Amino acid sequence: MSNEIISHKFRELLLPSLLIAMALNIASVVDASFVSTFIGHNAQAALQVLEPLVLLITIFEWLFGLGGQILALNKKAEFDEDGSNHYFTTSMLATIVLSALILVVCFLFKDSLVNLLHPTAGALQYVNAYSPFLFISFPIATILGVLCQFIRVDGQPNFASGVIILVNVINIILDYLFLGVFHMGIEGASLAMLIGYVIGLLCTLKYHFDSKRTFRFVLSKLKFRAWITSTIEIIKIGLPGASMGFFNVLLIYIMNLIVGGILGELGLDIFNVCVVALLLISILIMGFAETLSSIVPIYYAQNDFYNLHHIVRNSILITLISSVIFTAFLLVFPDGLLMFFKLQQVPNDALVENAIRIYSLAFIPMAFSTMLLFYYEGIERTVESGIITIISEFLGPLMFTYLLFPYIGITSVWLSFPLGFILSIVVVAIYVKIVERNDTEYSGLFFIRKGLIEKTRDYTLESKNDDAESEMFNHLESLNVDNSSIETLDKIINTIFDSNNENVHVEILLIDYGDKITINMKDEGKREVLKDIEKSFSQDNIKVSEVLGFNNIEYVINRN
């Protein structure tokens, strides 16, 4: 069997995911560079002080965007369109309500919030100037981020990435104009961000009026109690990914206090460069991880472990190789990054280079732990994903900083990050082994249902008379399937090829569950095929849906 459909769908979703991550992260890098160049290092330190608040946007995007997306896609895989729309509506409504509440809290308690962040004396005025437009941007950016998560998996990944890219291009252009031409100060950088997000949100109106979209608002059917219950369910699924951002906020806040207290503005500048380096490699890692989390729920729910193995293995290999290359570059030439921020000639430049080199060692274990985290989210293993998040993003770095600081001083801060990621992988591997002993149904880090492997067959049909079709029919006969069921399956396959003028590939997953045989068919042909099949065949044992832009047809043969 080929992996053509899943590979094509992965590439289709990956490029927009990479472009979104690239746009977001490069905009952050350029923003910090412009602020450092046109205003000064105290202003750049202010951005690092405010980083925990900026990360709140990511927290909500993962909490409601990723959590809601996974549940909505699972419902689509189960052929439940109403359930899918319910989770979409719940996610968007929860995002609007909670982000608006945070906006109000930020303005009501602005002074207390700024004091809580503990800016240095030199950075305080810049923090106060930047924060008002940042607060206003919060609900707009959050709603946009969550909505684009759904648009991306609703067959419009290019539109979703285009909106985010536009937002950040506008941000970069206005940053230069407001800071370099009009000399508006750090308020100009904050205003540029706000304008970009407003324009982006207006662009998403196109999606709302698109007749081809499959996610729809069903506010009239949403009861308050059901909304609360479903919101909690979404939070439970999205929490490990979102808590990655939450613990990152806490960790950066605490590390800011440590490096700022010991090294002052220089320490905050160094830490800001380390975070920027992490953002750069995260473009690739998060692009693959988020794409994986969009595909895994569907294929895992259908027990299609053959395709899962293919896509997970390739994703991990590519991200690990890329992380090795980027780490090697920073180990050999840290000045390549420092020059971008004009930090290559500051006092204690050896301290700065040492920090970059040590911190870069985190990228390789981070790649593997992040892929595991998003895979576990996709299969709704919240304990395992929670272990990775808590240790890698919070407890690990803090613990190693505390233990090593008496011996190696400030170097313990930079070294704590790679050690934290390594520890998270070790602990989750031990936990999975314990689960595997108690539940023999699963095998390995990726929770493969080993009992189904020998009962599963995969086929790829390129035409109505493909040899693989004869092989499949022979296998069904060996399972004592009656001729009428085989004939029905043959008619479904012929309908798919005839409706697409035979210009289509059909991937078939056949699983013998004992009491029933499930045959799942996927193709990237015309949507009208689904309606033809619904009209032509009994709905008792045939279900159809559109998932991630491809046709999904399930035919169940009851053995009883």
Side-chain angles (χ1 to χ4, degrees), residues 323-478:
S323 299
V324 168
I325 293 172
F326 190 54
T327 299
F329 170 77
L330 290 180
L331 287 173
V332 174
F333 189 53
D335 279 349
L337 187 63
L338 295 174
M339 285 189 296
F340 196 68
F341 296 91
K342 298 185 177 181
L343 287 174
Q344 76 277 19
Q345 294 179 342
V346 299
N348 298 318
D349 59 334
L351 174 68
V352 179
E353 292 180 1
N354 184 55
I356 296 296
R357 288 192 175 104
I358 295 174
Y359 189 87
S360 68
L361 297 175
F363 301 156
I364 298 171
M366 183 190 78
F368 187 67
S369 67
T370 303
M371 300 306 288
L372 275 180
L373 168 64
F374 279 80
Y375 177 86
Y376 289 146
E377 281 220 335
I379 65 173
E380 300 183 29
R381 303 290 307 194
T382 54
V383 174
E384 290 79 1
S385 53
I387 289 172
I388 293 175
T389 300
I390 293 171
I391 295 177
S392 66
E393 299 294 336
F394 189 64
L395 291 182
L398 285 183
M399 180 184 72
F400 285 116
T401 298
Y402 176 78
L403 293 175
L404 298 177
F405 192 86
Y407 305 100
I408 57 178
I410 194 67
T411 303
S412 64
V413 173
W414 324 125
L415 185 59
S416 69
F417 286 90
L419 292 178
F421 283 113
I422 292 171
L423 180 63
S424 71
I425 297 170
V426 172
V427 173
V428 81
I430 294 172
Y431 179 79
V432 169
K433 277 293 182 184
I434 295 171
V435 172
E436 193 177 345
R437 288 180 181 177
N438 296 330
D439 191 345
T440 56
E441 178 186 3
Y442 299 106
S443 174
L445 271 177
F446 299 98
F447 288 92
I448 304 302
R449 292 187 175 94
K450 54 187 177 184
L452 291 179
I453 298 298
E454 61 185 18
K455 299 178 180 179
T456 300
R457 296 290 187 276
D458 299 280
Y459 306 95
T460 298
L461 307 185
E462 299 181 4
S463 67
K464 288 192 291 187
N465 300 313
D466 199 298
D467 291 340
E469 184 180 30
S470 300
E471 181 185 342
M472 178 177 61
F473 290 158
N474 290 335
H475 177 64
L476 287 171
E477 289 175 357
S478 72

Side-chain angles (χ1 to χ4, degrees), residues 517-534:
I517 296 173
T518 298
I519 302 167
N520 183 270
M521 292 161 273
K522 296 183 179 70
D523 70 83
E524 295 185 287
K526 299 175 181 178
R527 290 187 180 183
E528 290 76 11
V529 175
L530 300 180
K531 295 180 180 178
D532 292 340
I533 290 175
E534 280 185 310

Side-chain angles (χ1 to χ4, degrees), residues 177 225 233 346 441 500:
L177 291 175
R225 181 173 294 180
E233 191 177 355
V346 299
E441 178 186 3
N500 289 283

Side-chain angles (χ1 to χ4, degrees), residues 187-220:
E187 299 97 324
S190 186
L191 178 60
M193 175 178 62
L194 173 60
I195 294 173
Y197 281 123
V198 169
I199 293 175
L201 191 59
L202 291 174
C203 289
T204 61
L205 291 175
K206 174 184 177 296
Y207 175 74
H208 296 292
F209 296 107
D210 190 340
S211 60
K212 294 182 179 180
R213 67 187 177 99
T214 62
F215 291 121
R216 299 189 179 278
F217 288 101
V218 287
L219 284 172
S220 59

Side-chain angles (χ1 to χ4, degrees), residues 273-323:
V273 174
C274 289
V275 171
V276 164
L278 189 69
L279 289 176
L280 290 175
I281 190 62
S282 292
I283 291 173
L284 188 76
I285 294 173
M286 294 308 299
F288 272 87
E290 289 201 21
T291 303
L292 203 63
S293 70
S294 300
I295 291 179
V296 163
I298 297 165
Y299 282 85
Y300 193 85
Q302 296 173 345
N303 296 316
D304 190 349
F305 300 118
Y306 174 80
N307 276 307
L308 271 181
H309 175 265
H310 169 76
I311 213 69
V312 171
R313 179 197 61 195
N314 289 349
S315 298
I316 291 175
L317 284 175
I318 293 172
T319 52
L320 284 177
I321 292 171
S322 302
S323 299

